[in-house]
Amino acid sequence: MPTGAKHANLILVPYKANRDKHHPPPAQRLGAHMAGETLANDVNTACATIRKALPMRAVLPGKPQATLQAVCTTQWGEKRIIAYISGNALVILGGPHQLLQTIYHDDSQILETVAIDQETGKIATCSGSDIHIYRPYGQNEDVLKWSLQYTFSVPDTSTILCTLSWGAAEELLVGSHTLRLYQTSGHEALIWSRELSSPVELALFSPDASLIASTARFDRLVKLWRRTSYGSDDVRFDFSYLSHPAAVTGLHWRNSGSKGQINHNVLYTTSADNFVRVWAATDLHASQLFQLWTKIDLQESIQPRYLDTVNRWNARYVFFIDSDEFSSATKSALKLAKNTGQPDHGLEHLVEIAERNPDLCVVLDDRGHMSAWGLENIGSRSRKVTDVFNVALIENFNLLLPQKVSQSDTAVRLLSFFSGGVEASYAVLVHHFDGRIVWLEGRVDEFFDPSPGKARLHLKSLWTGHQGSIKKIIRSMNGKALISRTNDNEGLIWKQRHGKGGMALTRASFVDSPDHIHRTWLLADGRFTVNLHHESISLWDTEKFKAKQVARSKFQIHGKLLCLLQLPSPDHHSSFVYLATITSHMKGIVWEVILPEYLVHNDGDVESGMPKMTEYCKFDLGVGTDLSFVVPIDPAGSPPILTGPLDTFAKDVALSYTEAGVLQTWTAKVNPEDNTVDWLPTSTFATGIDRPFLASGSSTRKIALVNSPRNGLTIWDTCSAQLEFDKEYSPQEVVQDLDWTSTPDQQSILAVGFPYKVIVLAQIRYDYLDKGPAWAPIREISIRESTPHPIGDSTWLGSGNLVIGAGTQLFVYDKLITTSDEMITDLSIPAHGHASVDLFDVVALLNGSLPVYHPQFLAQCIMAGRLSQVSKIIISLNKALKFFDGDHLDSLLAIPAEEFFTNGLDNAVTHQKERHSEYADFTDDNEPDNVTEEIASTLNEKLAKFPVPYLSSQEQMHLADIVECVATVEKNRRSMDENAMRYLLFVRQHLIRKAQGRRREVGITWREIAWAFHSGSQDVLVNIVSRHYNGRMLWEHARESGIFVWMTDIDALRSQFEIIARNEYTKTDEKNPIDCSLYYMALKKKAILLGLWRMASWNREQSSTLKFLSNNFQENRWKTAALKNAYALLGKRRFEYAAAFFLLAGNLKDAVNICANQMRDIQLAISVARVYEGDHGPVLRDLLEDKILPLAAFDGNRWLAMWAFWMLGRRDMAVRSLVTPVYTLLDTPETPSQQARTYLATDPALVVLYKQLRDKTLQTLKGASKVAPRAEWDFVMQTARIYDRMGCDLLALDLVRNWEFLQPSKDTLQPMTDIPDPRKMLRRRSSLVVDDLTSPTSPTAKKHGASQFTKPQAFEEPDANSLLDSFGF
């Protein structure tokens, strides 16, 4: 024990003749940890208790070495430092839950000893013959760390260095066969050495560094070295012996001051005869430096009240409390008692003892007995009888000490110190040589309180783990147990337990397999472990401290073993478990495991039958040869039970992926009748990602895939084969691990592991209006501050805690997330004053069902044509907020749920239910049925004043926007149809968010264009849009509103285009004709452009341009000249002006191509073509067929495809494109991009437009009839799932409840044909359907089936000024 380790008190190690210090025997577990047994009573269980500071809940720093100097502690300044060695790692802690630093040595040599210098804070470790010196830094900046000062080797060392001890002035004592003293202030310098007859086991400096006490292994003599000179050039020691009747087992110097001061040195020794001896310089003139002052018989110190002759064991343990520590602890306890005002007679007795300034010798046994002895006036020449007195004799003092075991003894070392703090606690560290360090703490008055049954010590923490680097962590199916495994096949079983202090991760068992472990699986909540080897599979019973192999089965199979997975059991209560492995040739074996039932006896013994494992069957899945890997589906909390038939709705059990990036999920069913297993692929789809590096699937039908460079991550939904997340990290951020978990309501969470950090991704609601992501990072965990070792593996516990294994350590992170975290604030999660939020609650807020007043729910209701329902919600919200107290707000606002999915609800029933609602007492008979501007203003004032439950501040702003928009539309709803309202609502939202800087897109989406395109109120919309820009609409404004794409009246379109031309000309003070050339050329109004050039006298190109434009461009020579000028302008990258010259030459196609390709303005290309040649010209047709439709297929834009097919006159194809992926409808399908695979390609509003259009004309009805019933079913169900993912489950229920399918029957077939009559597929009268199946006459129309557009009838509208002013544009 190093002297610098202040208060690091030694224990009595039970002596045994064949005890090997470097290879101590492991502890043997007494029995299974029984239900109801407290954690403190489980003496062989490693526990990681709750940590108050977020986000780490606990740390398991690693398994301490089984050596006498593997652990040390000291008080350095105001900081308590604890250091211990684990494998090749140095672990430094500042408290029970504060990991300061972990330092790994580059070599693989095991560390043997560690020592801390109390004066400088330097730490020394040794491995083999090497000494490593670490110097602290950053203590003034409150970022205390240690860095390697240097490493030096001890010469001529044939044995491992055994001991280290710090002296004065940064001197370090190194002991083996030779005692060596080094000066470490600069470079290492050997200043003294002395060879020994036997290798030293322990050599310690005294507190003042004037003496050294050393002893060899199994030696009865303690050699006491006295320093006679202090010069660095001439260091000398003489020595004497302290003789003992038995082997010395421990040394301890009393600490009563700092090094360099004159102190009364006292040495405590323990020996194998169960005596503590106290040595001091009682006679300065004697030949011996120290004399025996007194001795304490440890065996006789404890006399139990009840003698247990059967379990009697003579082991005794001892630690010492120095007088200064005892006095400080007593004063602190007294001060704390005075503050509470409670009298404590036991404390008063301790105060009287402390005033005598004694040292305490605390003796313990394994049965919870404790005897404390006071030692007063140590070193006095004449010792009085009263100088050694008994302080307390206590029962039920449980230090979790090892009890008698059947095979061997277990060594323990105790270290004690006053930890101080608010609770004035005294701490005891118990170093178990089986690989654990227990931190126990309690007040000193509770220490020595004789009252029976009192809880004296509280378990603060327990440090344990591995000695080697963690390679893999596997969790059980329910996440209540896990196994961590190293490269050398060492496995530790951990179990999750819940107590008064919260969640605890406890070490339950140790698995040491002689064979290489290929895969591992946990059964029965960690009671059994299955290890898959190369040619065999083994079953281990992990109920005892050391696991025992109970079954093994050999096998032979073709191919490389890829996975080990558990198959669904046919019976929930059965003790039969089925495990399967699959090889690289998609062949497999199934084993049947029969687990025993457990019987617990009254005496605590556990009895069970012998488990069995036999080969059940073999199978061959027979899939292609380009298989990359097969992995088990992460259960994420779901039980492996097959509750129904084997179909695509069954739980997935395996995931396979190929080199081409094709994913396939599998389910299986065990057939006990004929000992077979049936397999069924539940989904198969291509991802377009070649040679994926890693894939992981969840039981919630989500798959995460990592690309071959390992820096790209995608997340897919297997139900719809849709891409939900696509992220490419920096090349330095390599993804190496994927771990799934789920909330109790099956919402997915993914932990993405990198070498030094883990990013937690959570599902968030689909957002089609803002095109938001479907997954978002909610937490980033970095381990760089805790350890330099990269992450080996990670996994989730069932409680939501994340366990990360790095090096020898396990880090357990709390599921509470601080609300001040940057990721949480970016997501605008409403915290409402809470410092932290639960991980599962965060996911529920991000992905759960929405209240009906949420802006996304209201927006989707508007899309679905439920404007009256939206008005009712807004009015109900306004009522509810009148009496809102800031606590609870009904998510339905007391509106009956059936109103959202029942058509034609009886008003009387509605009123009756409203009469019994919670807001019935506050109803106002004068309340209007629609949202007025007054209601909107009142409600928005309330939204600006206080937060609304389940809404973030940004969402409240969105809600205010929708309220204002609905009020405007309600005022003018008679002048426009539903599609016009949809367009205006969302265009207005786009403009508002653009003004607030919250919109990334330049213009509106094709969804809004589609609504306006199919509106019968386009004249009103044109006037509103024009009025918004104050009659000064430029092309950028037209592109933003999409006006020249959705207008169907070609004459009105040309009139608006001429307005654009005029405004482009007058937008600057100089009035440049170049700015409007393209527009006037498209209008074929060269004369107007020529007149504008005549007024542009300031332009240096005026004369040449006037001369050129005056020519007749019907002649070929001038067409050629115009083309030459166009190509010259192209070379100068003046694209818009070049397009104008192409139009001048009559070359519309090249002008359109320039707009579409060089200018990347597809709307301008469409507008120029429509203005120049109308809606049925060949250039527009080619643009639609060769550019627009392939673009729609590549991007998966169904809105754009619908518009393009409709413009081509293929209304049947337009309807089909709303349901079917666009690339499947083209003759030369374009390979879809990743964007086409995303969830954004399937907008739920598509089903609204599909239902609207399919009944509109015979051609659209014919197109709908070509949609396969299964395709329509999948389309509707997918839309319902999307509604659910958006949090709009009420709309999903409305869709599946009220949808009408078109399913032709035999009586719908037309006479003499097999083609069904579309009119007979409707439930309503067929006369309401427009007949547009008239055969086209022109060749172009015949080719495309085009039909002439009919000019839409304009609604009769009120006064234009009052209508336009009301929109506030």
Side-chain angles (χ1 to χ4, degrees), residues 24 69 86 174 259 755 905 1294:
Q69 286 189 280
S86 174
V174 180
K259 299 182 182 70
L905 185 66
D1294 171 54

Side-chain angles (χ1 to χ4, degrees), residues 131-151:
I131 306 294
H132 314 277
I133 308 297
Y134 297 92
R135 183 183 295 275
Y137 67 91
Q139 57 270 32
N140 296 329
E141 292 80 16
D142 200 23
V143 285
L144 181 59
K145 299 291 180 183
W146 279 258
S147 62
L148 182 65
Q149 183 179 356
Y150 51 75
T151 298

Side-chain angles (χ1 to χ4, degrees), residues 746-1037:
Q746 298 298 301
Q747 300 184 51
S748 299
I749 304 172
L750 175 65
V752 185
F754 299 87
Y756 292 98
K757 68 177 181 180
V758 174
I759 295 178
V760 179
L761 300 175
Q763 276 184 287
I764 62 176
R765 285 180 286 267
Y766 286 168
D767 185 358
Y768 288 89
L769 300 181
D770 289 334
K771 296 182 179 180
W775 291 77
I778 61 174
R779 188 176 188 180
E780 181 175 323
I781 299 172
S782 176
I783 67 166
R784 285 189 180 273
E785 293 184 358
S786 302
T787 175
H789 202 287
I791 296 174
D793 199 10
S794 60
T795 193
W796 291 96
L797 293 174
S799 59
N801 301 91
L802 182 64
V803 180
I804 298 176
T808 62
Q809 302 172 332
L810 286 174
F811 301 93
V812 184
Y813 286 87
D814 203 281
K815 69 174 181 177
L816 294 177
I817 305 176
T818 53
T819 54
S820 58
D821 190 289
E822 183 178 351
M823 292 184 176
I824 297 298
T825 55
D826 290 344
L827 291 172
S828 301
I829 295 176
H832 300 303
H834 297 289
S836 61
V837 287
D838 188 277
L839 173 66
F840 291 166
D841 292 339
V842 170
V843 178
L845 287 171
L846 294 174
N847 195 45
S849 298
L850 293 172
V852 295
Y853 52 82
H854 194 281
Q856 175 154 290
F857 184 85
L858 295 177
Q860 291 303 319
C861 284
I862 294 171
M863 285 286 192
R866 289 179 164 272
L867 190 61
S868 58
Q869 193 75 49
V870 171
S871 298
K872 186 170 185 178
I873 292 172
I874 294 175
I875 293 171
S876 299
L877 179 62
N878 186 46
K879 291 180 183 178
L881 292 182
K882 288 181 181 179
F883 311 98
F884 180 58
D885 57 0
D887 184 18
H888 173 70
L889 188 63
D890 183 17
S891 60
L892 291 176
L893 298 176
I895 301 174
E898 56 267 25
E899 285 195 22
F900 293 93
F901 53 82
T902 303
N903 292 327
L905 185 66
D906 183 57
N907 290 333
V909 177
T910 304
H911 294 322
Q912 180 69 22
K913 292 188 176 182
E914 285 181 350
R915 198 172 297 122
H916 294 285
S917 69
E918 60 182 290
Y919 302 114
D921 295 335
F922 310 115
T923 55
D924 186 357
D925 295 336
N926 297 323
E927 193 76 40
D929 295 332
N930 298 322
V931 178
T932 62
E933 293 182 347
E934 181 182 357
I935 292 177
S937 176
T938 304
L939 180 56
N940 286 349
E941 287 180 5
K942 297 173 184 175
L943 293 176
K945 287 182 179 180
F946 48 81
V948 177
Y950 309 112
L951 294 184
S952 65
S953 57
Q954 189 173 4
E955 289 168 345
Q956 286 193 208
M957 295 173 63
H958 292 180
L959 177 58
D961 296 342
I962 287 183
V963 170
E964 189 175 348
C965 293
V966 170
T968 304
V969 170
E970 284 283 7
K971 182 178 179 180
N972 303 279
R973 65 184 307 174
R974 295 191 178 185
S975 61
M976 54 184 118
D977 57 11
E978 284 187 352
N979 287 341
M981 294 181 195
R982 294 185 179 104
Y983 174 82
L984 282 179
L985 279 168
F986 296 106
V987 167
R988 176 179 170 84
Q989 280 204 346
H990 163 79
L991 296 173
I992 291 175
R993 298 186 186 188
K994 178 186 174 183
Q996 296 172 346
R998 293 184 283 149
R999 194 77 179 190
R1000 296 185 299 270
E1001 292 86 354
V1002 176
I1004 61 174
T1005 66
W1006 283 94
R1007 177 183 56 238
E1008 282 73 46
I1009 291 175
W1011 295 129
F1013 182 68
H1014 289 288
S1015 170
S1017 310
Q1018 290 186 356
D1019 294 344
V1020 177
L1021 296 181
V1022 169
N1023 291 334
I1024 291 176
V1025 172
S1026 177
R1027 182 63 180 269
H1028 168 66
Y1029 297 111
N1030 300 318
R1032 305 287 300 170
M1033 189 191 308
L1034 303 175
W1035 172 250
E1036 61 177 306
H1037 303 143

Side-chain angles (χ1 to χ4, degrees), residues 1021-1067:
L1021 296 181
V1022 169
N1023 291 334
I1024 291 176
V1025 172
S1026 177
R1027 182 63 180 269
H1028 168 66
Y1029 297 111
N1030 300 318
R1032 305 287 300 170
M1033 189 191 308
L1034 303 175
W1035 172 250
E1036 61 177 306
H1037 303 143
R1039 181 177 56 229
E1040 184 178 41
S1041 63
I1043 186 172
F1044 290 104
V1045 181
W1046 52 256
M1047 287 184 67
T1048 55
D1049 187 341
I1050 195 68
D1051 294 331
L1053 183 139
R1054 289 184 174 127
S1055 299
Q1056 286 297 322
F1057 205 73
E1058 188 169 1
I1059 294 174
I1060 297 293
R1062 287 199 302 268
N1063 293 338
E1064 288 288 340
Y1065 173 70
T1066 59
K1067 69 180 179 181

Side-chain angles (χ1 to χ4, degrees), residues 1069-1087:
D1069 294 337
E1070 61 185 10
K1071 297 181 180 179
N1072 193 344
I1074 296 176
D1075 295 337
C1076 61
S1077 297
L1078 175 62
Y1079 306 98
Y1080 279 117
M1081 287 300 175
L1083 290 165
K1084 301 177 182 179
K1085 293 187 177 182
K1086 187 189 73 172

